[in-house]
Amino acid sequence: MSGETATRTKSGGATIIGYRSVVKRFGNFVALDGVSLEVHAGEVVCLIGPSGSGKSTLLRCTNGLEALDGGDIAFEGASLPREERALRAVRRRMGMVFQSFELFPHLTARENVAEGPRTVLRESRAESDRRADALLDKVGLADKAGNYPSALSGGQQQRVAIARALAMEPDVMLFDEPTSALDPETIGEVLNVMKKLADEGMTMVVVTHEMTFARRVGDWIAVFDAGRIVEQGPPAQIFDAPTTERTRDFLSHLGWQG
Amino acid sequence: MIFDWSVVWQHRDALVAGTATTILLTVATMAIAVPCGIAVAILRMYGVAPVRAAATAYVELFRNLPLILVVFWAFYVLPILTGLGLSPLATGLAALVLNVTAYNAETFRAGINSIRRGQVEAAMALGMSRAQALRRVVVPQAVRRILPVLASTWVSLFKDTSLVSVIAVSELSYAAMQVRAQTFRVLEMLTAMAAIYWLLGYPQAKLTDWIQRRYAVSE
């Protein structure tokens, strides 16, 4: 019923993130109940499933925002360190994009993107500003560099947030429902930026309810239910020929027609 | 009753000196009580258990005592505790600082608590330490958010400095009362005192309103 039900057809390369029997509890609630999954270099892995099934929790465990209660997460072959300083060194190599953007409201778009390099990498102002402008250009917001987040639409804010994460030159990008808080008309612009990143070969783990995106851009799909992965495989399997009842139920609830 | 307003002009030097002391006391108190308030708030929020308890006890004690009591307490008890012969001005300043620091600590704590958890997470996801997240992301936002509260604390403090006159600090109200005692011109001196407090306080209150509009947080 679970586990690897298909061999990877389009796998980019070496394993970047390895989840092994990951367990996470919040009090008596078991959020993750033995999750195993591999993320290979250059792959887009999409985590789908009903709300509260553990997708976001797994993502938040990936960069240590939540601590594990069992199992192991290995990043480039080494278990996530527990010690703060070492954990920070790993974190800066993983970019994270949040559902609610979490841009810093007291900083302009440019300052938001430059903040990580400036504070964490001790880059000079000129250097980090140049980097920020280049990244804002990349996400199509070169003209909004001087704007504060409050003067940007949701889609624009999320694109700035993507640029902010990219500024640390991460090896992996983690997306936590990046379009769930957006107006329908601005979802596309964010997904396009993500698609572009994927095409450039960025390794991405994406928690999403956008099935079309998962189907078209995803290389590997993991279906969550009640803290477990009930099925994982390439999009063709998950969306066209799901092997478990749970997956079929979930997709039919979303009105997925294939 | 015949008013003799010339008494105000005759004693202008005493009034000007008193006004200067009032302003000095306000500025000095705030200059000390803002950083101390931040420190106490951070100790209360992030310190180890005994430090947290001590910071909480301090805040809850001084926030709930009448300022005039603290002034008297500082006057009689502080020299015994410290063994120092403090001047009335230093004693008054100490009392005001003890009181306003407690208020500022609560203001900063509320400000820091009002910043969403996600902001710290976003900072930490970039690789920042907790201290960096606090310094670069949380405190700058918290300060903007509480600036209006600090401004009204300032306006209250400006008037409350008059309470240190009970230990003979020659700020504005003490100076005015001294002139009254020498000349028996009660109404004139009270009116002059009111006029000075108001003329100085009103622009501050207006400035506070402006700050509230200017720094209203928009997310």
Side-chain angles (χ1 to χ4, degrees), chain B residues 104-127:
Chain B
N104 284 353
E106 277 308 90
T107 306
F108 279 110
R109 195 168 70 99
I112 289 171
N113 278 337
S114 76
I115 307 301
R116 281 197 315 269
R117 195 182 136 80
Q119 287 283 300
V120 176
E121 290 183 346
M124 289 179 61
L126 289 172

Side-chain angles (χ1 to χ4, degrees), chain B:
Chain B
M1 193 169 186
I2 297 160
F3 294 115
D4 177 10
W5 294 102
S6 66
V7 68
V8 174
W9 183 249
Q10 278 161 26
H11 293 90
R12 62 187 181 278
D13 289 347
L15 290 176
V16 166
T19 304
T21 305
T22 289
I23 293 170
L24 171 75
L25 266 176
T26 309
V27 172
T29 301
M30 251 345 200
I32 302 170
V34 164
C36 286
I38 294 178
V40 171
I42 286 174
L43 290 179
R44 188 172 175 185
M45 296 174 80
Y46 305 105
V48 291
V51 173
R52 245 180 8 238
T56 304
Y58 161 76
V59 168
E60 293 307 336
L61 180 63
F62 281 93
R63 210 159 57 108
N64 294 296
L65 288 179
L67 179 53
I68 196 158
L69 181 84
V70 179
V71 173
F72 276 125
W73 180 87
F75 185 70
Y76 289 111
V77 180
L78 219 52
I80 302 171
L81 279 183
T82 62
L84 297 171
L86 294 174
S87 71
L89 183 67
T91 308
L93 180 63
L96 290 170
V97 165
L98 282 170
N99 177 268
V100 178
T101 296
Y103 273 100
N104 284 353
E106 277 308 90
T107 306
F108 279 110
R109 195 168 70 99
I112 289 171
N113 278 337
S114 76
I115 307 301
R116 281 197 315 269
R117 195 182 136 80
Q119 287 283 300
V120 176
E121 290 183 346
M124 289 179 61
L126 289 172
M128 285 192 211
S129 65
R130 257 176 206 289
Q132 284 173 326
L134 208 58
R135 188 162 50 79
R136 299 287 304 173
V137 174
V138 177
V139 170
Q141 289 183 60
V143 167
R144 273 174 180 72
R145 208 167 275 192
I146 63 170
L147 218 51
V149 185
L150 282 184
S152 39
T153 302
W154 174 286
V155 173
S156 299
L157 169 65
F158 179 72
K159 293 173 291 180
D160 288 348
T161 52
S162 57
L163 290 171
V164 301
S165 61
V166 298
I167 56 166
V169 177
S170 52
E171 42 66 68
L172 176 56
S173 51
Y174 184 82
M177 289 301 106
Q178 289 293 104
V179 176
R180 177 209 58 172
Q182 290 159 20
T183 61
F184 303 107
R185 289 288 167 191
V186 179
L187 265 168
E188 288 86 339
M189 291 317 295
L190 284 178
T191 307
M193 195 169 120
I196 297 172
Y197 272 117
W198 190 86
L199 284 173
L200 290 173
Y202 183 71
Q204 294 178 34
K206 288 287 111 181
L207 188 65
T208 305
D209 292 346
W210 179 80
I211 288 171
Q212 279 177 0
R213 284 195 305 273
R214 170 72 178 73
Y215 287 96
V217 176
S218 54
E219 284 197 46

Side-chain angles (χ1 to χ4, degrees), chain A residues 24-25 137 148 157 171 204 256:
Chain A
K24 175 69 189 177
R25 296 183 203 91
D137 188 42
Y148 284 91
Q157 288 189 55
D171 300 335
M204 296 165 47
W256 178 261

Side-chain angles (χ1 to χ4, degrees), chain A residues 60 63 65-66 84 88 91-92 94-96 98 100-107 112 115-116 118-120 122 150 164-165 168, chain B residues 115-133 135-141 144-145 217-219:
Chain A
R60 294 165 56 78
N63 67 352
L65 286 181
E66 302 284 356
E84 261 297 312
R88 286 207 296 276
R91 255 190 211 131
R92 71 166 78 151
M94 304 185 196
M96 192 167 199
F98 299 83
S100 49
F101 326 137
E102 299 299 348
L103 287 183
F104 307 132
H106 59 302
L107 302 178
N112 262 280
E115 182 60 34
R118 197 171 296 165
T119 302
V120 179
R122 308 258 174 236
S150 57
R164 176 177 68 177
M168 297 298 290
Chain B
I115 307 301
R116 281 197 315 269
R117 195 182 136 80
Q119 287 283 300
V120 176
E121 290 183 346
M124 289 179 61
L126 289 172
M128 285 192 211
S129 65
R130 257 176 206 289
Q132 284 173 326
R135 188 162 50 79
R136 299 287 304 173
V137 174
V138 177
V139 170
Q141 289 183 60
R144 273 174 180 72
R145 208 167 275 192
V217 176
S218 54
E219 284 197 46

Side-chain angles (χ1 to χ4, degrees), chain A residues 40-171:
Chain A
H40 297 169
E43 264 184 348
V44 176
V45 173
C46 292
L47 314 183
I48 66 172
S51 298
S53 58
K55 316 174 298 287
S56 290
T57 304
L58 187 72
L59 205 68
R60 294 165 56 78
C61 287
T62 308
N63 67 352
L65 286 181
E66 302 284 356
L68 301 188
D69 292 313
D72 181 63
I73 298 178
F75 178 64
E76 295 182 346
S79 292
L80 282 188
R82 288 179 185 279
E83 196 267 322
E84 261 297 312
R85 183 178 293 269
L87 184 58
R88 286 207 296 276
V90 174
R91 255 190 211 131
R92 71 166 78 151
R93 296 169 60 196
M94 304 185 196
M96 192 167 199
V97 174
F98 299 83
Q99 180 179 350
S100 49
F101 326 137
E102 299 299 348
L103 287 183
F104 307 132
H106 59 302
L107 302 178
T108 62
R110 179 188 289 117
E111 291 167 335
N112 262 280
V113 180
E115 182 60 34
R118 197 171 296 165
T119 302
V120 179
L121 305 178
R122 308 258 174 236
E123 266 188 19
S124 72
R125 177 174 283 267
E127 208 175 338
S128 57
D129 277 354
R130 245 197 326 275
R131 184 194 289 268
D133 285 342
L135 284 166
L136 286 172
D137 188 42
K138 182 186 169 100
V139 298
L141 291 170
D143 56 327
K144 303 286 185 191
N147 285 33
Y148 284 91
S150 57
L152 298 172
S153 73
Q156 290 170 336
Q157 288 189 55
Q158 195 60 299
R159 285 188 281 154
V160 174
I162 292 171
R164 176 177 68 177
L166 290 173
M168 297 298 290
E169 297 183 350
D171 300 335

